[in-house]
Amino acid sequence: MDLAGFREFTRRVLEITDERELHREAISIPLDLVGAGEVRVEGRRVVIVGPEGDPADFLAALPDRLDTLDLDAVPRI
C-alpha cells in the first residue's frame, strides 16, 4: 500500500471507529501490514493493522470484526 492508499485506509478506519464512538486517541493504525490484516484490543487501545493486499474486503468486514471484540475498556467519545 502506497502513502496515498494508507491515508485513505486510515480515513476509512477512522470513519468506522467514529461510528462506534471510539475515541480516536484509542485507535492505533500501525504502518506495518500483515497478511489479511488484524484487529485486536491491547489494554485500552484498538490496534488495526492493514492487510498486505487490497484493503477493500478488510474494510468491509471491519465493522463486524469490531462488534465481536470486548471494547468495554476502550475510551469513548
Side-chain angles (χ1 to χ4, degrees):
M1 189 178 323
D2 63 8
L3 182 57
F6 187 76
R7 284 183 182 152
E8 179 62 18
F9 176 77
T10 300
R11 185 188 68 75
R12 287 288 301 126
V13 166
L14 293 175
E15 282 179 0
I16 293 166
T17 57
D18 285 352
E19 290 170 0
R20 280 152 184 75
E21 298 184 347
L22 300 173
H23 200 290
R24 283 189 172 194
E25 290 184 8
I27 306 301
S28 175
I29 308 170
L31 292 172
D32 294 336
L33 305 174
V34 62
E38 293 180 0
V39 182
R40 64 183 182 273
V41 176
E42 290 183 0
R44 295 174 43 94
R45 299 182 68 82
V46 178
V47 179
I48 301 172
V49 183
E52 292 175 340
D54 182 359
D57 290 339
F58 177 86
L59 290 168
L62 184 56
D64 291 336
R65 292 178 77 174
L66 287 169
D67 291 343
T68 65
L69 296 176
D70 179 3
L71 299 173
D72 289 343
V74 179
R76 304 291 176 134
I77 301 171

